[in-house]
Amino acid sequence: MTVPVLAAVTGASWEAALVAGLERTPTGITVVRRCVDLADLLAAASTGTARAALLSAELRRLDRDALARLAAARVVVVGLFSPGDEEAETRLRQLGVVHVLSADSPPTDISAAVSAALGEQEAGIDALAPAGWSQPLEALPGVDAPVDSGPAVEPGSGRLVAVWGPTGAPGRTTVAVNVAAELAASGVPTLLADADVYGGVVAQLLGFLDEAPGLAAATRLANNGQLDLAALAAVAPQAAPNLRVLTGISRADRWPELRPSALEQVWLLCRSLAAVTVVDLGFCLEQDEELSFDTAAPRRNGATLATLDAADIVLAVGAADPVGMQRLVRGLTQLRETVPGALPRVVLNRVRRGAVGAEPEGQLAEALERYAGVRDPAYVPEDRESVDAALLQARALHEVDPGSKARVALAGIAAGLVGRPAPGRRRGLLRRGA
Ligand SMILES: Nc1ncnc2c1ncn2[C@@H]1O[C@H](COP(=O)(O)OP(=O)(O)OP(=O)(O)O)[C@@H](O)[C@H]1O
Ligand SMILES: [Mg+2]
């Protein structure tokens, strides 16, 4: 039995030769349909009649999203480029196509690539390869400055820290911005990314005046197979020494721009651009596919889920009051169910006696262990004055009020993320004056 294959190579000068070659040679694959464009290909793939697709790099609108849809339809992909067209080859690889051949390859090589792709599918290997690994840091063209200052980042070795928390504005953004700023100030090349699908405010908090291209631009490039390290660096401007920022979507209705499949690619490259990438996330974890019959429809919380899934560390921020704690406990349960691999470290924010009792840290720790089975949370005290001052000046806490209680606590959390001892750690931050 031969493998039924779709061909989406219309318009390529080598189309006729390719199809004739495949027909002439017994290769084990049969072209069952020649698709005229991407829409035709996706429609044919969704019928389940073919197991593989041959696509040309010139196929219009081919992007990671389309490849993800082919993968979801269990159709493996072999990319073909015009002989000698290295740019087309690179583009296919950057899109994440693993099996890429010159269109004048012998038909048996093409069928061997189809078999290999099918074998990988069988073995459960991700059809959409993360692209960009092979590019060494120093050999990147088009970067006018070194890709990063400070200690070099071993390509791919950077950590991804997702800052998440339940509804009720527990302080995710405050924690994300300040933890990133602390890391940068301590000499760690850091990238702060705003991936809140309900509208990001990181740019505003850091005083970015112009609308920077930011994360939406990075995901667009990734989706089109055009994101490499240099392009990522170009859309992630330096906000302070060692601190790059990928600003978020300014309006909540732009959430479809943060496509999960493209974000995965962005996070992967971030690991080569910065030693630590801190991502500010939206609160919601609901998987809305049950609400939609179209499984390929974009999902609002897809970006949050994809980031939590990719993260090495999840900082789960909860508000240190009875309502905030209840939301956090529920949120942690949901997090465990939706992203079982995530390892949350809990940060209790706005800790104050008034909301909990005379010994807030002890009481909060006890409640957290009893109801969520989580030990050793980090505490950030309520510190209205310094947090407000930072807001007003659009700066990080360490710049505005370095001795403030909240700043000291956030610096400790940042140090913990890179395995350093907390600077000047004091016990019982609340004993005095809280
Ligand atoms: N430790 C703190 N002390 C005092 N105020 C704080 C503290 N942390 C955060 N805040 C304030 O709480 C409010 C919410 O914080 P933030 O915007 O960081 O929360 P969020 O979880 O990101 O909310 P959103 O759901 O809007 O994204 C802000 O006004 C912020 O200044
Ligand atoms: Mg926020």
Side-chain angles (χ1 to χ4, degrees):
M1 211 183 78
T2 63
V3 177
V5 169
L6 304 169
V9 295
T10 304
S13 55
W14 37 265
E15 180 188 6
L18 174 87
V19 176
L22 285 172
E23 273 168 11
R24 231 180 301 121
T25 326
T27 54
I29 64 175
T30 308
V31 176
V32 291
R33 186 183 166 89
R34 286 162 76 170
C35 305
V36 293
D37 57 19
L38 184 65
D40 190 16
L41 172 68
L42 293 174
S46 68
T47 63
T49 49
R51 301 210 40 215
L54 305 176
L55 356 137
S56 84
E58 284 81 36
L59 187 62
R60 283 194 57 213
R61 302 214 169 82
L62 178 65
D63 58 14
R64 278 186 81 84
D65 223 33
L67 291 169
R69 290 175 72 160
L70 289 171
R74 308 276 304 153
V75 170
V76 300
V77 163
V78 170
L80 300 169
F81 58 92
S82 301
D85 187 350
E86 279 174 27
E87 232 170 78
E89 179 182 4
T90 308
R91 194 174 109 76
L92 283 167
R93 291 197 190 281
Q94 280 185 352
L95 278 170
V97 180
V98 180
H99 299 279
V100 178
L101 284 89
S102 176
D104 60 356
S105 306
T108 44
D109 286 6
I110 294 174
S111 76
V114 169
S115 306
L118 285 169
E120 285 157 16
Q121 184 195 55
E122 199 94 321
I125 296 169
D126 198 350
L128 256 188
W133 279 107
S134 52
Q135 290 162 321
L137 267 173
E138 48 286 337
L140 284 165
V143 200
D144 44 7
V147 165
D148 220 327
S149 50
V153 181
E154 184 75 17
S157 71
R159 279 185 191 169
L160 187 69
V161 178
V163 183
W164 170 84
T167 181
R172 290 180 301 265
T173 305
T174 306
V175 169
V177 166
N178 285 289
V179 161
E182 293 294 340
L183 286 167
S186 71
V188 178
T190 303
L191 192 148
L192 170 64
D194 186 344
D196 191 335
V197 284
Y198 293 86
V201 295
V202 165
Q204 196 189 341
L205 284 184
L206 290 177
F208 278 62
L209 295 178
D210 303 323
E211 192 153 317
L215 190 57
T219 50
R220 201 177 318 122
L221 290 167
N223 197 38
N224 295 333
Q226 292 164 335
L227 189 72
D228 56 18
L229 214 45
L232 180 64
V235 294
Q238 202 100 32
N242 284 321
L243 183 63
R244 287 181 180 277
V245 179
L246 273 173
T247 54
I249 48 168
S250 48
R251 292 195 330 259
D253 62 355
R254 286 179 57 195
W255 65 265
E257 292 177 40
L258 301 182
R259 291 187 178 157
S261 64
L263 264 186
E264 283 166 15
Q265 172 70 10
V266 174
W267 300 147
L268 205 84
L269 279 173
C270 286
R271 292 177 188 273
S272 295
L273 189 60
V276 181
T277 298
V278 179
V279 189
D280 183 14
L281 287 176
F283 63 90
C284 194
L285 295 179
E286 263 139 46
Q287 291 167 301
D288 21 25
E289 73 258 39
E290 279 131 69
L291 307 174
S292 157
F293 293 110
D294 180 3
T295 48
R299 294 179 292 143
R300 181 169 205 149
N301 300 317
T304 311
L305 295 168
T307 307
L308 287 167
D309 209 34
D312 302 298
I313 300 167
V314 176
L315 290 183
V317 183
D321 58 61
V323 174
M325 289 296 283
Q326 204 180 71
R327 285 177 169 155
L328 177 66
V329 168
R330 250 186 264 138
L332 287 170
T333 309
Q334 210 185 358
L335 179 68
R336 250 176 241 132
E337 284 164 7
T338 26
V339 194
L343 287 177
R345 290 191 186 186
V346 169
V347 176
L348 298 177
N349 187 27
R350 313 194 67 166
V351 177
R352 57 204 185 274
R353 288 180 176 158
V356 192
E359 272 289 337
E361 293 183 5
Q363 280 163 281
L364 291 164
E366 202 185 305
L368 192 67
E369 183 163 4
R370 175 157 353 130
Y371 297 110
V374 173
R375 280 196 195 167
D376 284 332
Y379 305 95
V380 179
E382 166 79 17
D383 198 343
R384 195 67 264 175
E385 207 177 309
S386 61
V387 172
D388 273 352
L391 266 178
L392 192 67
Q393 296 179 41
R395 313 192 85 137
L397 277 166
H398 77 86
E399 298 169 288
V400 172
D401 193 353
S404 66
K405 293 177 295 181
R407 188 263 153 142
V408 171
L410 287 157
I413 293 168
L417 294 176
V418 288
R420 290 182 181 162
R425 189 158 188 243
R426 291 176 290 149
R427 289 194 65 79
L429 287 169
L430 290 163
R431 299 276 139 71
R432 263 161 289 174

